[in-house]
Amino acid sequence: MLFTVGQFGILAEKTLHFLLMLEKDGKIIDFNNRCKQLFPNSDETKGKNITEFIIDEDVTFFKDSIANLSDKSPLSSETLIFSAQEHGVVSIKFDFTYHNDLIYAAGIETTEEYKEHRALITISKLTKTGAWYFNPINNEMYWTKGCYAIKDLDPNIPMTREKGASYYPKESRARLEGYLDDLINNKKPYRYVEKIITEIGVEKWVKVVAQPVIHKDKVVFVNGTIADVTDQHNYVEKIKYDEETKHLALKGIQSGLFDHHIEKNEVFYSLDFRKMLGLPLDQDFVAEEVFRKMIHPNDVKSALQRHQENLEKKGHHYHNYYRLKNLKGDYHYYEVHGYRKKNDQGKTIRMIGNLIDVHQRKLNQKTISENRNRLQAIVNNGFAYTVLLDLEGRILMTDRRSLKIIKRDFNVDPTKTPSMFVDVMPLNFINKFVHTFNEVLKGNTVKTEVERITHKGNSQWLEAKYTPVFDDEYKINAVLVSFHDITEQKLAEQAIKEAHIKEQELSNLKSNILSNFSHEIRTPLNGIMTICQLILKENHLDDKDKLLGYLEESKDRLLDTMNKLSNFSEIDAIHENLTFEEFDVNYIVETSFREYKHMAEAKGLEYNLQLDESCPQASIDKNLFRPALNNIIHNAIKYTTQGAVNVTINSTDSEKNIYIYVKDTGIGIDEKNFEKIFDPLVQESFGISREYEGTGIGLSLSKRYIEILGGEIKLKSELSQGTEFAIIIPKCL
């Protein structure tokens, strides 16, 4: 059966349903007469958005509901609360239908159900035993049966604001009425605990809570609860005036207070305690068994064990910890601290203390620990030695390798014992560290290079970088010190430097060799040529014999130079032609000594020989030993202008070796040139003068000859104070 337009119009106006036509965004296009109850000025309603007439907290629900309407999903349902002037609030359950970009709404009134629903919700949320509401527009006051029961009043008696206030003592009424007026004017919820005298004259204590319902920033309704807290109030009052409890409370922490009578199995929980755990606010007493069920299953066993140990241990302090379930069903970490009262037998009979929420602290500690572990892993796996210091220079963190060095060298573990960095560093670090650390505290990043000696005795070079660490306010709160091993870099630099110096020395050596050989060959050769010319040109020379002597000397000098060069070039072949024989070392040395006696006497030097009375025997090749000894004796006389040259043989101070000392009072040798004088073709005085003639090969040959014979040469000398060579050869055992 189809309705005509007229019939449909009559139905729309005569129905108890609320009918509206809205635009997609909620603007009102049209509505039936039934809707005039919702709109105070119905003539001005069209074109306005429906959200202007519903209470503030329902606006979001309405917008979300219509936003989801579409051709594919054209139906939706929502209950909206309207502020309806003298009616206070009106609850309408709407069915929304979307068609051709318009929304058609059909609703029925559910105000009575809403009132009851709101009362039940309020009871549920705020844990009330009685609920009430008040309409400030028409002064309507509504009580649930629970409210009447608290006042010992017949539920059929109509309730007004004045009637409700009459149960309070006269001296309190004005103050309590002021709470409601302040809520209506300033939208501030309130709660209080006050004494009442019921209808039958019984004194009770009640806790009242009130909350506003706001529309367009104006209070249009007041929801409230009332609870009988007489027992709790009397108990709390008893606690307040109980001197023993006062004394115990001072030893506990006041937040989240509990009082546990162990023998009675009674536990009083403070309001803060109950709020903390989401326990009913109207129940000051909660059974211990109920509380235990809130403990995390994994923590129950250990928590109960600690609880029992606490009750039995000496002293009075109580401490426990575990996870508890909160209102949302999540588990948080809590700690319990308390004071235990004991009887004459030392048994705990009563305990007062508090519960502390330490969940965030635990999470922070866990985060810090995890971050520290990550940071430590980064530090340990880096290529640098790393140390983090506080502003006093105290070690906060260090990498594994640095920690190992500190523990080994200083026998201290800075991760366990507070340690100043300056106390666990090599001595040569300290002065530079103090200066650098002060510079970093000014905000500067500083790099330095330091050298340390490792426990194996090796030299290690480190590049130290000091970096200031800033906090969020850009203030320095730590100093990061990193040491990078640059030993290889330093060795490379040193090798390059030494190579450069060697290159210079080789260049100088080349020049010296050329100059040396030019002089040592050309000088005797010039002498030979000059003397030969004189002899050939002059038939009668008075000093012919003298010239022949000079000619012989020049010839010998040239031959000696060529022989030394030949011997030096053939030294590798000598090993194959050695002939070892046992000789009396006194005899061999004395033979060489006599060979140069005339040379020493010619220079006016004291020339002494001290033989060994034990006549030590040595197995040597005399063709190597004698040139080696001769070169050293010859040099001693050559470089001594005055004083003495002494040759000494000693075998008594050693079981295995024979020592031949050649000591002079000559020019001496600079210590930095000790190694150089044994280099072939190098004279200690080269580059300074040609005062002393020679090729520079002699000492090098001597050293190599003696080493071939299984011995060695040692040197002591001081510039201008003389030189002592010690030839050491093995005895015949």
Side-chain angles (χ1 to χ4, degrees), residues 524-569:
L525 189 59
N526 285 339
I528 292 171
M529 292 172 61
T530 301
I531 294 171
C532 288
Q533 288 177 359
L534 289 174
I535 293 174
L536 291 173
K537 289 181 181 180
E538 301 293 337
N539 294 325
H540 304 286
L541 289 174
D542 296 335
D543 54 357
K544 184 175 182 180
D545 292 337
K546 189 176 181 180
L547 289 175
L548 290 174
Y550 289 153
L551 182 62
E552 185 71 19
E553 287 181 5
S554 296
K555 181 262 297 181
D556 290 341
R557 181 174 175 180
L558 181 60
L559 183 61
D560 181 63
T561 298
M562 300 308 294
N563 284 337
K564 286 181 177 178
L565 283 172
S566 176
N567 291 340
F568 189 80
S569 63

Side-chain angles (χ1 to χ4, degrees), residues 1 3 45 133 146 152 183 221 251 277 312 315 381 446 495 500 505 513 516-517 533 558 601 617 703 718 730:
M1 171 180 173
F3 290 104
T45 299
Y133 69 78
D152 296 328
L183 180 146
F221 209 67
K251 297 178 181 291
L277 300 180
E312 296 173 357
N381 291 283
V446 182
H500 179 70
E505 289 180 349
I513 292 172
N516 208 10
F517 273 102
Q533 288 177 359
L558 181 60
E601 291 175 347
Q617 302 289 311
K703 183 175 183 294
E718 188 175 347

Side-chain angles (χ1 to χ4, degrees), residues 657-680:
N657 296 322
I658 302 169
Y659 292 81
I660 300 105
Y661 299 99
V662 179
K663 185 175 182 180
D664 63 58
T665 58
I667 62 173
I669 303 170
D670 194 337
E671 185 176 356
K672 66 181 181 181
N673 292 321
F674 278 11
E675 295 295 328
K676 291 182 179 179
I677 64 169
F678 292 108
D679 287 344

Side-chain angles (χ1 to χ4, degrees), residues 10 20 84 110 200 413:
I10 293 171
L20 295 97
T110 59
I200 60 175
D413 186 346

Side-chain angles (χ1 to χ4, degrees), residues 374-429:
R374 295 187 187 107
L375 178 59
Q376 190 70 56
I378 294 171
V379 169
N380 287 338
N381 291 283
F383 294 102
Y385 301 95
T386 306
V387 183
L388 184 66
L389 308 176
D390 65 14
L391 300 185
E392 300 297 325
R394 192 174 294 102
I395 298 175
L396 300 174
M397 178 184 288
T398 183
D399 69 290
R400 185 168 46 238
R401 291 178 300 166
S402 300
L403 180 61
K404 182 179 179 181
I405 294 172
I406 293 171
K407 291 169 68 175
R408 183 191 63 223
D409 294 350
F410 297 94
N411 196 29
V412 63
D413 186 346
T415 63
K416 298 179 180 178
T417 304
S419 305
M420 300 297 291
F421 188 42
V422 73
D423 293 333
V424 292
M425 64 171 60
L427 293 177
N428 62 314
F429 280 33

Side-chain angles (χ1 to χ4, degrees), residues 258 291 318-322 334-338 354-356:
F258 68 89
F291 180 79
Y318 180 93
H319 175 241
N320 209 340
Y321 53 91
Y322 32 71
Y334 291 88
E335 285 187 1
V336 179
H337 292 272
N354 78 308
L355 186 75
I356 305 173

Side-chain angles (χ1 to χ4, degrees), residues 303 305-320 340 342 348 351:
Q305 182 178 348
R306 284 191 296 271
H307 174 72
Q308 192 60 39
E309 291 172 353
N310 268 277
L311 296 181
E312 296 173 357
K313 71 180 182 180
K314 295 181 179 180
H316 297 274
H317 182 252
Y318 180 93
H319 175 241
N320 209 340
R340 296 178 293 125
K342 300 180 179 180
T348 302
M351 180 169 61

